[in-house]
Amino acid sequence: MKRTQKITIQDIARHANVSPGTVDRVIHDRGKVSPENEQKIKDAIEKLNYNPNLLARTLALGKHFTVCVFFPKSINSQDYWSLPEQGVQQAATGYKDFGFSVESFFYSLFDESSFEEQARKILQINPDGVVFAPLFEKESLMFIKELNERNIPYAFIDANIPDQNNITYIGPDTKRSGYMSGKLLHSLVGVDDDILVLNIVKGMENSTNLTRIEQGFMDYYAEKCAERKPKISSLIIHSTEEDIVFREITKFYIKNPNIKGVFVTNSRAHLIARYHLYHDLNIRVIGFDLVKENIEYLNNGRIDCLISQSPVQQGIKCVKTMFDLFIYNSKPQKIQSVPLDIIIKENIDFYMTFQLETN
Amino acid sequence: MKRTQKITIQDIARHANVSPGTVDRVIHDRGKVSPENEQKIKDAIEKLNYNPNLLARTLALGKHFTVCVFFPKSINSQDYWSLPEQGVQQAATGYKDFGFSVESFFYSLFDESSFEEQARKILQINPDGVVFAPLFEKESLMFIKELNERNIPYAFIDANIPDQNNITYIGPDTKRSGYMSGKLLHSLVGVDDDILVLNIVKGMENSTNLTRIEQGFMDYYAEKCAERKPKISSLIIHSTEEDIVFREITKFYIKNPNIKGVFVTNSRAHLIARYHLYHDLNIRVIGFDLVKENIEYLNNGRIDCLISQSPVQQGIKCVKTMFDLFIYNSKPQKIQSVPLDIIIKENIDFYMTFQLETN
DNA sequence: ATCAAATGTGTGTACCCACACATGCAGGAG
DNA sequence: CTCCTGCATGTGTGGGTACACACATTTGAT
């Protein structure tokens, strides 16, 4: 524990025979400096490898940034959406001395109007940045329009809407997770058996992601089973109501009796798992996300494998990205993928423990 | 971006009708304050929920901390031990403005004397903290003794030595990883087949961890297969030389022809995998760590499953722990477990990508 | 009892480093 | 001679720390 020997603006000033203020103006390119001095100062900065002290800078600037995060509501701490929120809070505590604060807002996954309502609230606060999960495409686009007009930087988390002005997308590489799903299902189901790619969606949901996931899935089979591919069907059910889903599934299974594996492109694998349980069907199922219902069916064997998309890390990363943007002024990459974890019966309990306790 | 409204030491001073200096002395318990004032100040701190500004504090103190990290050498970026190092570097960059710097030292896994030599170098630097992987037990204990005498706080990473004065251990919960291995092997090998727990160690290596891993493994079978357990043998080979290992294995397999699954308690699963490849034996293998050789055999199917112990996160965490200790003066938990990831053929390539590119 | 020294209690302020604004001081134009 | 412009310096701010100092009270010696 010694006194710091870091070089400061004063060191530069001494080296160039000018005052600290002049050095400051060179650094910030505010002009009003004679060419000779400017050169001398720049040389000294180069030579001494000067980097401004972030602490002193933020302290002097005394700025304050508010970032709103905007996720689906979670009912309890087991919920999928409580995990990114946990990551957000965790990261935020480490940044609060930098005058960086986070406010959370939540919308209901079953109610588009709650999204609009909370989005209005966020705009009223007029934050410096916004992180949100654009699960309702139409409403999100309206929100985006407003954010663009006000020049408020925003990041997408968990789901992406392409070709927007967002500073970054933080979430799974959707195509890759589809590809990985293909590989996994391939290991569970032979090439002579039929496969179903099942999209269970509510009307308004962001569909781009599902398309990309499905494409990745198809890519795998096209690449690895070029000569001998299983029959792959695709089905979209436009409801999450159990009776409607069950009716559609029944219709499909009657027409396609040889289905031995199902890939559910989102977190609703539990619906088909329940169907298999009722009818005692021996069909492999893989899906996404450790939501409570999925975990239940993973444990009793009706779901074979779930892919988890590092929800806590997503939360951490989005806060960190905003922090770096405001404090370091560093622009993030447009896409920041997170790890995809394979969860099977054998590691589910360990995985859950760690997601909640550590990180 | 507004001016901050955070409450400062001045606010407290005004509230308690004292000077900022007095508040400071109360906060730091330096005495020389009248009881009434002390109480008033404490009340005000409580009431206004005051938290000192970390930036201003570190700036004013102008302290500088050096932490030495001390790992096995890695030959290339694919190596296991390059991963914690990457985590260390990554975390360190974020803390450098706090006067917090990290110096890395490396020892050879095959040379105890290199450990001693580098340990001496570290002691010469006289750092404020040390993080190291105590893989050589005897040499580590000597190092520990010296650190204790000098009152230098130290943390263990990746491997633990119990009952020491270390501030924390960061790494896998060894018992749990054994338990998990049991669960995994159970899913691969029937209860009528025999199982081998294989310890391939060099003479000087830290043995406590292996014992605990094995114990966790046994616990699983004792718990879950109480009535009908496979025959589980345990074998220790005191060498990592291929010919010696092969000889010992041959001897063992001749006596125990019904072995169908092998659990290797450290990163040396590739040795037995190669043996199986040569002799074309259809025996399941699970082991630890994504070292290059292991990955090779995972890909060609001679290793069925590897457990990865979040190496990058381990590095990040140990730097963060030291930072929190010095800057926040916050004591860590004695044990900080990291997630255990299951790596199979299906997700190895994705896993590797993320370990290297993101985090 | 008296006075100096030691102790207890509290205040004032320079400093950490970067930043921003106000000010000073040339020289040339009007 | 003033006014402006270009260049450079000086100073106050931000939050907290640490040291120097001021003042009051107690202790001890004479």
Side-chain angles (χ1 to χ4, degrees):
Chain A
M1 165 160 70
K2 315 117 197 167
R3 281 260 134 193
T4 171
Q5 72 282 13
K6 240 199 112 175
I7 34 150
T8 73
I9 223 167
Q10 278 82 4
D11 298 324
I12 304 294
R14 261 196 307 278
H15 250 78
N17 265 320
V18 294
S19 77
T22 314
V23 177
D24 185 62
R25 254 168 297 116
V26 170
I27 291 169
H28 294 91
D29 216 10
R30 276 195 273 268
K32 314 236 176 202
V33 179
S34 66
E36 316 92 81
N37 273 341
E38 184 166 343
Q39 197 50 50
K40 268 200 287 181
I41 291 170
K42 279 185 173 166
D43 287 348
I45 288 177
E46 185 76 22
K47 190 175 145 213
L48 299 179
N49 188 26
Y50 167 77
N51 283 96
N53 183 319
L54 188 64
L55 273 62
R57 166 175 287 170
T58 31
L59 189 61
L61 287 173
K63 299 238 181 93
H64 191 265
F65 301 95
T66 304
V67 170
C68 291
V69 303
F70 189 25
F71 294 158
K73 203 176 297 179
S74 52
I75 318 297
N76 58 50
S77 70
Q78 304 282 321
D79 242 354
Y80 175 79
W81 279 105
S82 88
L83 299 174
E85 172 65 12
Q86 283 175 44
V88 164
Q89 292 306 330
Q90 183 198 320
T93 57
Y95 295 145
K96 64 177 188 304
D97 279 319
F98 288 85
F100 188 91
S101 66
V102 171
E103 292 198 41
S104 295
F105 291 81
F106 302 101
Y107 60 91
S108 165
L109 267 175
F110 310 103
D111 180 8
E112 289 88 354
S113 74
S114 76
F115 182 98
E116 291 180 312
E117 181 195 319
Q118 295 295 313
R120 256 196 306 278
K121 271 200 199 168
I122 291 172
L123 290 169
Q124 263 170 30
I125 287 184
N126 198 31
D128 302 287
V130 173
V131 177
F132 73 111
L135 299 184
F136 297 128
E137 194 150 8
K138 195 179 123 224
E139 286 76 11
S140 296
L141 285 170
M142 305 254 300
F143 189 34
I144 287 166
K145 191 158 163 262
E146 190 66 32
L147 292 169
N148 279 333
E149 275 172 20
R150 299 205 199 181
N151 261 316
I152 299 174
Y154 53 94
F156 297 145
I157 184 171
D158 195 77
N160 199 4
I161 302 184
D163 306 322
Q164 298 300 318
N165 200 22
N166 58 315
I167 58 162
T168 189
Y169 156 67
I170 293 165
D173 178 336
T174 40
K175 211 159 169 186
R176 179 176 277 191
S177 58
Y179 190 93
M180 184 155 144
S181 307
K183 202 164 179 176
L184 283 165
L185 198 58
H186 186 197
S187 75
L188 293 167
V189 180
V191 286
D192 297 324
D193 299 316
D194 294 356
I195 284 176
L196 167 63
V197 176
L198 181 57
N199 300 285
I200 306 176
V201 292
K202 297 223 323 172
M204 303 313 252
E205 280 177 343
N206 185 338
S207 56
T208 328
N209 291 306
L210 299 189
T211 320
R212 280 180 58 84
I213 288 174
E214 190 164 341
Q215 198 184 331
F217 185 85
M218 295 305 188
D219 283 356
Y220 172 79
Y221 275 101
E223 223 173 79
K224 298 291 165 155
C225 309
E227 67 295 347
R228 194 130 160 285
K229 218 185 331 191
K231 186 183 156 208
I232 303 177
S233 313
S234 177
L235 177 64
I236 301 179
I237 300 177
H238 287 281
S239 169
T240 56
E241 302 288 326
E242 186 172 295
D243 48 348
I244 299 180
V245 171
F246 280 21
R247 177 165 22 97
E248 295 295 316
I249 287 291
T250 306
K251 255 200 282 184
F252 183 85
Y253 276 180
I254 289 174
K255 278 196 217 141
N256 302 271
N258 196 29
I259 294 286
K260 286 289 178 304
V262 179
F263 168 44
V264 184
T265 55
N266 55 24
S267 64
R268 310 223 166 85
H270 54 92
L271 289 171
I272 185 88
R274 183 172 308 148
Y275 182 89
H276 292 164
L277 180 66
Y278 284 168
H279 298 83
D280 200 27
L281 296 172
N282 184 24
I283 296 176
R284 308 272 75 96
V285 173
I286 73 179
F288 287 98
D289 299 338
L290 298 184
V291 301
K292 208 170 99 256
E293 298 91 335
N294 281 350
I295 292 171
E296 188 188 327
Y297 288 102
L298 187 70
N299 277 322
N300 72 22
R302 294 291 169 174
I303 293 178
D304 294 89
C305 177
L306 288 168
I307 293 174
S308 171
Q309 316 178 351
S310 310
V312 179
Q313 269 201 45
Q314 286 187 36
I316 294 175
K317 254 189 178 159
C318 72
V319 173
K320 186 169 161 41
T321 299
M322 282 292 173
F323 177 81
D324 289 347
L325 178 69
F326 293 130
I327 306 294
Y328 289 99
N329 198 24
S330 78
K331 304 263 173 295
Q333 297 204 303
K334 184 89 183 188
I335 291 178
Q336 298 187 68
S337 303
V338 294
L340 302 171
D341 295 323
I342 297 182
I343 313 299
I344 52 185
K345 217 196 214 169
E346 278 67 36
N347 68 339
I348 173 70
D349 42 353
F350 301 102
Y351 190 83
M352 286 307 283
T353 318
F354 283 115
Q355 286 298 312
L356 296 175
E357 93 193 12
T358 68
N359 261 285
Chain B
M1 166 160 65
K2 315 117 194 169
R3 283 260 138 190
T4 171
Q5 70 282 12
K6 239 198 113 176
I7 37 150
T8 75
I9 221 166
Q10 278 81 4
D11 298 324
I12 304 293
R14 261 197 306 279
H15 251 77
N17 266 318
V18 293
S19 76
T22 313
V23 177
D24 186 59
R25 257 172 293 116
V26 170
I27 291 170
H28 293 91
D29 216 10
R30 276 195 272 267
K32 316 236 176 198
V33 179
S34 66
E36 315 92 79
N37 273 341
E38 184 167 345
Q39 197 52 51
K40 268 200 289 183
I41 291 170
K42 280 185 173 166
D43 287 349
I45 287 176
E46 185 77 19
K47 188 174 145 212
L48 299 180
N49 187 27
Y50 167 77
N51 283 96
N53 184 320
L54 190 64
L55 273 63
R57 165 175 289 169
T58 30
L59 187 61
L61 285 174
K63 300 242 180 88
H64 191 264
F65 301 94
T66 305
V67 170
C68 290
V69 303
F70 189 24
F71 294 158
K73 205 176 296 178
S74 52
I75 318 299
N76 58 49
S77 68
Q78 303 281 319
D79 242 353
Y80 176 79
W81 280 105
S82 88
L83 299 174
E85 170 66 11
Q86 283 176 41
V88 163
Q89 293 306 332
Q90 182 197 321
T93 56
Y95 295 146
K96 65 174 187 301
D97 278 316
F98 288 84
F100 187 91
S101 65
V102 171
E103 292 197 41
S104 295
F105 292 81
F106 303 101
Y107 61 91
S108 165
L109 267 174
F110 310 103
D111 181 7
E112 289 87 355
S113 74
S114 75
F115 182 98
E116 291 179 311
E117 180 195 319
Q118 294 296 312
R120 254 195 308 279
K121 271 202 201 165
I122 290 172
L123 290 168
Q124 264 171 30
I125 288 188
N126 196 32
D128 301 286
V130 173
V131 177
F132 74 109
L135 299 185
F136 297 130
E137 194 152 7
K138 195 179 122 222
E139 286 76 11
S140 296
L141 285 171
M142 305 254 301
F143 189 35
I144 286 167
K145 191 158 161 263
E146 190 66 34
L147 292 170
N148 280 333
E149 274 171 22
R150 301 205 197 179
N151 262 316
I152 298 175
Y154 53 94
F156 296 146
I157 184 170
D158 196 74
N160 199 5
I161 301 183
D163 306 320
Q164 298 300 317
N165 200 21
N166 58 315
I167 58 161
T168 189
Y169 157 66
I170 293 164
D173 177 337
T174 40
K175 212 159 166 187
R176 181 176 276 189
S177 59
Y179 190 93
M180 185 156 142
S181 307
K183 201 164 181 177
L184 282 165
L185 198 58
H186 186 196
S187 76
L188 292 168
V189 179
V191 285
D192 298 324
D193 299 317
D194 293 355
I195 285 175
L196 168 62
V197 177
L198 182 57
N199 299 284
I200 304 176
V201 292
K202 296 224 320 170
M204 304 311 253
E205 280 177 345
N206 185 339
S207 56
T208 327
N209 291 306
L210 298 188
T211 320
R212 281 180 58 84
I213 288 173
E214 190 164 343
Q215 199 182 330
F217 186 85
M218 294 306 185
D219 283 358
Y220 172 79
Y221 275 101
E223 223 175 81
K224 298 290 167 156
C225 310
E227 67 297 345
R228 193 130 161 287
K229 220 189 319 193
K231 186 181 155 208
I232 305 178
S233 313
S234 178
L235 178 65
I236 301 179
I237 300 177
H238 287 281
S239 169
T240 56
E241 300 290 325
E242 186 172 296
D243 48 348
I244 299 180
V245 172
F246 280 19
R247 176 163 27 95
E248 294 295 316
I249 287 289
T250 306
K251 255 201 282 183
F252 182 86
Y253 277 179
I254 289 173
K255 280 196 215 143
N256 302 271
N258 197 28
I259 295 285
K260 286 290 179 307
V262 178
F263 168 44
V264 183
T265 55
N266 55 25
S267 64
R268 310 225 166 82
H270 55 92
L271 287 171
I272 185 88
R274 184 173 310 148
Y275 183 89
H276 292 165
L277 180 66
Y278 284 170
H279 298 82
D280 200 25
L281 296 172
N282 183 24
I283 296 177
R284 306 274 74 97
V285 173
I286 73 180
F288 286 98
D289 298 339
L290 299 184
V291 302
K292 209 171 98 256
E293 298 90 337
N294 282 348
I295 292 170
E296 187 188 329
Y297 288 102
L298 187 70
N299 277 324
N300 71 22
R302 293 290 168 175
I303 293 178
D304 295 88
C305 178
L306 288 168
I307 293 175
S308 171
Q309 316 178 351
S310 312
V312 179
Q313 268 201 45
Q314 286 188 36
I316 294 177
K317 255 191 178 159
C318 71
V319 173
K320 184 169 160 42
T321 298
M322 282 292 172
F323 177 80
D324 288 347
L325 177 69
F326 293 130
I327 307 294
Y328 289 98
N329 198 24
S330 77
K331 304 264 173 295
Q333 297 204 303
K334 184 87 185 187
I335 292 177
Q336 300 186 68
S337 304
V338 294
L340 303 170
D341 295 322
I342 297 183
I343 314 298
I344 50 185
K345 215 191 203 167
E346 277 69 34
N347 68 339
I348 173 69
D349 43 352
F350 300 104
Y351 191 84
M352 287 306 283
T353 318
F354 283 116
Q355 286 298 313
L356 296 175
E357 92 193 11
T358 69
N359 261 287

